[in-house]
Amino acid sequence: MAVFSRLPRAAWLVLGILLFATTLRGPFTAAGPLLESLRPVFGLSTSEAGLLITLPLLSFFVVSPFAPLLARKIGLERALFVALLIMCGAIVLRSSGSLWGLYAGTSILGAGIAVGNTLLPSLLKRDFPTQITTLTAVYAITMGVASAAGSAVVVPLAQSLNWQWSLGVFLVLPLLSALIWLPQLKAVRTQPATTTTKQTTKRSVWSMGLAWQVSLFFGTSSLTYYSVATWLPAMLVDLGYSQAQAGSLHGLMQLATAFPGLVLVPWVKRSKDQRGIAISMASLSFLSLLGLVLFPVAATVWVVVFGFGVTGTFILGLSFIGMRAATTAQAAALSGMAQCIGYLLAATGPIVLGALHDSVGNWQVPLYVCMALCVLQSVLSMGAGRAIHLPQDEPVAEAAVAAAAE
């Protein structure tokens, strides 16, 4: 620790952000490859098993609007640390072995992740305002690598040990992240806004058209990703792959999510706005899903293309929060709105697609629905991808802005 203590705060902060990113997806998306194994253990239907992916998304919807309030109460850095502690407790509960613990732990895990999802964009806007796209891409890469590793090992661990240990091993991610995050608690920059009564704008972001375009773009991207990621192993098993092979391909899809940032960062810097980029990424997702329907034998190619395309829109959606906001306060408010709306939409995906599969008896129709979402993303990008900011009708002092961003 003595060596690390000599690192500048910015270096600690970037390291903390990257480790935090490992907790934001893998601990619950890795449950996807285990759904078919968990169904006979507890006698679950397809839709009931899909709740294990949907419940965290519902938690995102419920908790996200309140995350900025928590940060305002105890400080941005402390709020993120509390989120990590919540994740630790949730993972332990989820792995207790009971059905109620599985569902309750999964829901609480989503609450902890929601706080991190909501507050990290505000942190980037505050401390790295000129590097939002770059750092968003970097932590998206970290999320992708961590998710890929989780998806690849979760089935072998369950087969060699049991499903409780397979899901419980993810406890190491928030524990390590919390350890690295400790120095941030000693140098807290964001204090409770006890003396701030002004708002950065008289208008709520919920009344702004651009905020809705950003939120719905983020939402359709999240809805497409979580719908496909939840049932991809089941789809691949129906195509003739073994459960272990399906888990590996699921991991390959997650690994592919690590690379769009390498392309997007220089592309965004060279572009006047992000409309063309967003349409290109949504088109890749569309083509990959069409490929799964028409040429399922090339599933290895299609899962990679899907992972790349859908994460491209996800990174852009997160970047739009910081890029479209005029201040850190707006970034926090827009982040809460986007994640609330986005994950409410995403939460419907696994259940609806599971029920649709049970109704029609195949995965082709659910895939066509996801293709339609990709088209809708392209339409929304024409508004969300414009190089403009949310309106500001009441300037305030920088100190008040920083306090409101907590």
Side-chain angles (χ1 to χ4, degrees):
M1 293 296 292
V3 174
F4 290 119
S5 65
R6 292 195 292 269
L7 289 175
R9 181 179 183 274
W12 264 117
L13 191 55
V14 171
L15 179 60
I17 289 170
L18 294 183
L19 285 172
F20 207 118
T22 67
T23 70
L24 296 180
R25 183 181 290 172
F28 81 96
T29 59
L34 285 182
L35 293 184
E36 290 302 305
S37 298
L38 290 172
R39 286 181 60 192
V41 172
F42 295 107
L44 304 176
S45 67
T46 304
S47 297
E48 289 170 339
L51 280 173
L52 294 175
I53 301 298
T54 298
L55 284 174
L57 301 177
L58 288 173
S59 295
F60 293 175
F61 160 67
V62 173
V63 174
S64 293
F66 300 100
L69 301 179
L70 176 64
R72 186 176 301 125
K73 181 72 174 179
I74 65 175
L76 183 55
E77 290 83 355
R78 290 193 179 99
L80 288 167
F81 185 75
V82 167
L84 292 170
L85 297 183
I86 292 173
M87 292 181 213
C88 290
I91 291 173
V92 172
L93 178 60
R94 182 180 65 172
S95 302
S96 62
S98 63
L99 182 59
W100 77 267
L102 180 64
Y103 280 116
T106 297
S107 300
I108 297 170
L109 176 63
I113 294 174
V115 175
N117 275 335
T118 303
L119 297 182
L120 277 179
S122 181
L123 185 72
L124 295 180
K125 179 71 174 179
R126 185 198 71 185
D127 287 359
F128 305 98
T130 63
Q131 299 172 290
I132 291 174
T133 303
T134 300
L135 287 176
T136 299
V138 169
Y139 88 68
I141 289 172
T142 307
M143 274 197 299
V145 172
S147 298
S151 295
V153 305
V154 69
V155 171
L157 280 175
Q159 292 174 340
S160 61
L161 298 172
N162 54 48
W163 69 265
Q164 294 100 311
W165 279 101
S166 181
L167 292 178
V169 73
F170 289 94
L171 178 63
V172 71
L173 297 178
L175 276 179
L176 179 60
S177 183
L179 178 64
I180 300 300
W181 200 255
L182 283 174
Q184 301 305 322
L185 306 183
K186 299 177 182 179
V188 177
R189 287 186 54 191
T190 52
Q191 300 296 330
T194 55
T195 61
T196 302
T197 57
K198 280 189 173 183
Q199 302 294 319
T200 59
T201 175
K202 293 178 181 178
R203 294 180 59 192
S204 165
V205 293
W206 290 82
S207 68
M208 301 177 185
L210 178 58
W212 278 97
Q213 291 164 353
V214 170
S215 299
L216 291 173
F217 178 86
F218 179 82
T220 53
S221 176
S222 299
L223 173 55
T224 305
Y225 170 77
Y226 287 110
S227 296
V228 175
T230 299
W231 296 117
L232 181 61
M235 294 176 188
L236 294 170
V237 168
D238 275 3
L239 293 175
Y241 293 89
S242 69
Q243 188 177 354
Q245 289 172 326
S248 296
L249 285 172
H250 188 269
L252 183 61
M253 184 270 286
Q254 299 282 11
L255 183 60
T257 67
F259 298 103
L262 301 177
V263 176
L264 288 179
V265 172
W267 194 356
V268 168
K269 289 181 178 179
R270 292 196 305 267
S271 302
K272 293 181 179 180
D273 59 41
Q274 296 79 46
R275 288 176 290 185
I277 304 173
I279 291 173
S280 298
M281 293 295 106
S283 298
L284 284 178
S285 298
F286 178 91
L287 291 174
S288 66
L289 298 175
L290 182 62
L292 277 176
V293 173
L294 299 181
F295 305 103
V297 69
T300 301
V301 174
W302 303 130
V303 299
V304 170
V305 175
F306 177 77
F308 189 95
V310 77
T311 303
T313 58
F314 178 77
I315 291 174
L316 287 171
L318 286 176
S319 297
F320 288 164
I321 293 172
M323 296 168 73
R324 301 289 91 92
T327 67
T328 53
Q330 277 191 340
L334 179 57
S335 181
M337 175 182 175
Q339 309 238 14
C340 176
I341 293 174
Y343 289 120
L344 174 62
L345 292 176
T348 65
I351 293 178
V352 171
L353 260 67
L356 189 56
H357 167 267
D358 289 347
S359 175
V360 301
N362 62 65
W363 288 109
Q364 283 77 13
V365 174
L367 284 170
Y368 283 127
V369 172
C370 291
M371 282 183 247
L373 291 174
C374 295
V375 175
L376 180 57
Q377 284 176 44
S378 297
V379 175
L380 291 168
S381 70
M382 297 304 294
R386 293 173 295 166
I388 59 176
H389 288 115
L390 295 174
Q392 239 188 318
D393 56 13
E394 184 179 346
V396 296
E398 179 61 26
V401 173
E406 298 167 24

